[in-house]
Amino acid sequence: MKLSEFSLWAFKLELDLSRKFTLFSRCVCAHFERLFDPIETDGIYRVVVKLCGPDERVGTYDISSSVIKYYKEFDFVYFESLNLIAKKKLLLDTLYDALMSLCEMHGWPKATFHEAYEMVIRENFVNTYSIKRKLSRNKKLSAELIGEHDEKAFDCSLVIKNSDSKVLLNEHLFSEEPDEFLFNSRVGDINWISKTTVVHQSKDKQELARFDIGDLIAN
């Protein structure tokens, strides 16, 4: 089994505050996940870092259903006093420090964790990425679904380019709360139905939108 999923859980906060924290932290954890090269483990696919104040369990972990739950102390008052980038940096550092401790405990290679950490910082916490890309029937155009996942929302756009990488169309498709359970269900698929026409489809293949760039190519 490969380790590939990570989350920060403010498990002692009230439910609404915990969810708010989770939605904020997901943009950092999801960014780290996207850049992390999964490693083989002894039956573990996910790490949940359980954040709390002083607690006798800090620095320990338990395992259930192939998930490690590691307890780590966290200052929520200090976190709330920070600016946006500083908050994200603190969350990334907290995740990374917990993972380094688990690497020591389980003999996991540290390099792949460090590489993902450094790449998130180099990208300045901007989690924008290609979800899927498809070439037109004549291979002269490309259509791409682009996701942008930040602390406030997940935005999905359709970008069509020509063979010179010139953007012919950049159309916003939807915004959703930054909860993967919600936005992943809306991403769907894209398909070329002619040399110049792309459709955005739901997961059950229902057409959601149609874009014809024939006029843009002619001009």
Side-chain angles (χ1 to χ4, degrees):
M1 185 174 291
K2 289 192 174 184
L3 174 62
S4 61
E5 298 180 19
F6 310 94
S7 63
L8 297 167
W9 181 20
F11 70 102
K12 285 191 175 182
L13 294 183
E14 294 181 4
L15 187 59
D16 58 336
L17 293 177
S18 179
R19 174 166 170 72
K20 179 181 178 182
F21 181 87
T22 296
L23 290 178
F24 188 104
S25 67
R26 273 313 299 161
C27 67
V28 175
C29 293
H31 196 173
F32 186 89
E33 287 175 355
R34 179 170 62 82
L35 299 172
F36 180 77
D37 187 13
I39 61 170
E40 291 288 349
T41 64
D42 185 18
I44 302 299
Y45 77 93
R46 186 181 184 199
V47 170
V48 176
V49 182
K50 301 183 72 170
L51 303 177
C52 57
D55 188 294
E56 64 182 10
R57 294 169 294 182
V58 167
T60 68
Y61 68 88
D62 51 62
I63 300 177
S64 62
S65 302
S66 300
V67 177
I68 283 185
K69 299 173 183 177
Y70 178 84
Y71 293 86
K72 185 167 180 61
E73 191 166 347
F74 189 82
D75 189 336
F76 291 95
V77 174
Y78 174 66
F79 171 77
E80 291 297 339
S81 73
L82 300 174
N83 64 35
L84 180 62
I85 293 299
K87 283 182 176 179
K88 292 183 178 182
K89 179 64 164 53
L90 178 58
L91 292 176
L92 180 64
D93 286 346
T94 299
L95 174 65
Y96 181 71
D97 289 347
L99 292 172
M100 288 298 97
S101 295
L102 289 171
C103 283
E104 292 286 348
M105 296 174 182
H106 295 275
W108 297 339
K110 294 181 178 180
T112 187
F113 295 93
H114 184 70
E115 289 168 5
Y117 173 86
E118 291 292 332
M119 284 190 285
V120 172
I121 292 176
R122 284 200 297 271
E123 293 183 359
N124 199 30
F125 299 95
V126 177
N127 191 17
T128 299
Y129 57 99
S130 174
I131 301 171
K132 59 183 61 180
R133 178 176 179 270
K134 292 187 177 180
L135 293 175
S136 62
R137 295 178 180 182
N138 59 10
K139 311 298 184 184
K140 294 183 178 181
L141 302 169
S142 67
E144 196 167 15
L145 285 177
I146 302 294
E148 182 176 357
H149 184 180
D150 66 20
E151 72 285 353
K152 294 181 179 178
F154 175 86
D155 289 284
C156 184
S157 300
L158 172 68
V159 176
I160 299 178
K161 298 178 182 179
N162 64 16
S163 56
D164 295 322
S165 296
K166 178 183 177 181
V167 175
L168 303 176
L169 180 78
N170 188 341
E171 187 76 19
H172 182 262
L173 298 176
F174 67 86
S175 294
E176 184 57 88
E177 192 175 37
D179 180 336
E180 280 113 327
F181 179 78
L182 297 176
F183 69 70
N184 281 337
S185 67
R186 295 189 62 185
V187 170
D189 199 3
I190 47 174
N191 280 302
W192 290 92
I193 60 172
S194 76
K195 292 181 180 179
T196 61
T197 304
V198 178
V199 295
H200 176 222
Q201 299 174 317
S202 62
K203 289 187 178 295
D204 61 0
K205 304 301 181 182
Q206 296 296 310
E207 183 175 320
L208 300 174
R210 179 180 297 222
F211 305 95
D212 191 331
I213 61 166
D215 291 342
L216 295 175
I217 296 174
N219 293 333

